[in-house]
Amino acid sequence: MQWTVVIPLKPLARAKSRLADTAHDGLRPGLALAFAQDTVAAVLACTAVRDVAVVTDDALAARELAALGAAIVPDEPLGGLNAALAHGAAAVRTRRPDSPVAALNADLPALRPLELARVLDAAAEFPRAFLADAATVGTTLLTAGPGQELSPHFGPHSRTRHRESGAVEIGLTTVNSVRQDVDTGDDLRAALALGVGARTAAVVEGLLIAGQ
């Protein structure tokens, strides 16, 4: 099964506010963009993925992610994360009604294509499935097979909300790179320990140099 991965990205100026203890306001947009670039690059390198659709209204992010090969879907609902994901999935299925779709966080800078392929292959066994994040409270990935609505419930306690919605939790181990999203300084350190992509590494190196 070849998946279309839908990735939502809020305007960079408002992204990653919980990283205030790690990067000041002027640096967080660049860090958020680097996370998204490394995420999209890893997804496009995954053998289980056909293509990527990024839902965003940020002009810089749209330009940079399109340059990597992502399709850009304007965030027309402007109704938050779940509305953006539902809109992105609908846009994908306007072109390919039977396409399996996967919603994925944009802040997975340590993402490994092989680990993502394992998760997507496991998800293909179920109409809808999800993967919990490293904190075991949220969700980093939600899938919907052919003919199934995505029905995203991201946000606080999304692991419970996705399970209650009927999605099956994927219980794979050793797919830490698909679980490790980055909201806080501790999350960033955990991602760095896994090994982040080149763009995130370059921005973090700049942060460290600036802090010397």
Side-chain angles (χ1 to χ4, degrees), residues 1-5 43-51 100 113 116-121:
M1 188 178 291
Q2 291 292 107
W3 298 81
T4 292
V5 177
V43 174
L44 287 169
C46 176
T47 57
V49 172
R50 176 188 300 211
D51 52 13
L116 177 60
R118 288 187 61 209
V119 174
L120 291 174
D121 287 347

Side-chain angles (χ1 to χ4, degrees), residues 7-137:
I7 298 177
L9 183 62
K10 67 173 63 173
L12 297 176
R14 295 192 286 107
K16 297 300 154 196
S17 59
R18 291 169 62 191
L19 280 172
D21 63 340
T22 304
H24 63 66
D25 291 351
L27 294 176
R28 286 199 302 276
L31 201 53
L33 177 58
F35 293 166
Q37 288 173 304
D38 285 334
T39 300
V40 168
V43 174
L44 287 169
C46 176
T47 57
V49 172
R50 176 188 300 211
D51 52 13
V52 173
V54 175
V55 184
T56 189
D57 269 345
D58 190 287
L60 173 61
R63 183 171 67 249
E64 294 297 327
L65 297 175
L68 294 177
I72 305 301
V73 178
D75 185 5
E76 294 174 356
L78 295 176
L81 177 59
N82 291 310
L85 284 169
H87 174 65
V92 168
R93 285 179 166 166
T94 296
R95 295 180 287 112
R96 293 194 301 272
D98 295 326
S99 177
V101 294
L104 184 71
N105 289 3
D107 57 352
L108 297 166
L111 185 63
R112 301 288 188 269
L114 287 176
E115 291 186 11
L116 177 60
R118 288 187 61 209
V119 174
L120 291 174
D121 287 347
E125 301 297 319
F126 308 102
R128 291 174 64 243
F130 72 95
L131 185 74
D133 64 9
T136 71
V137 175

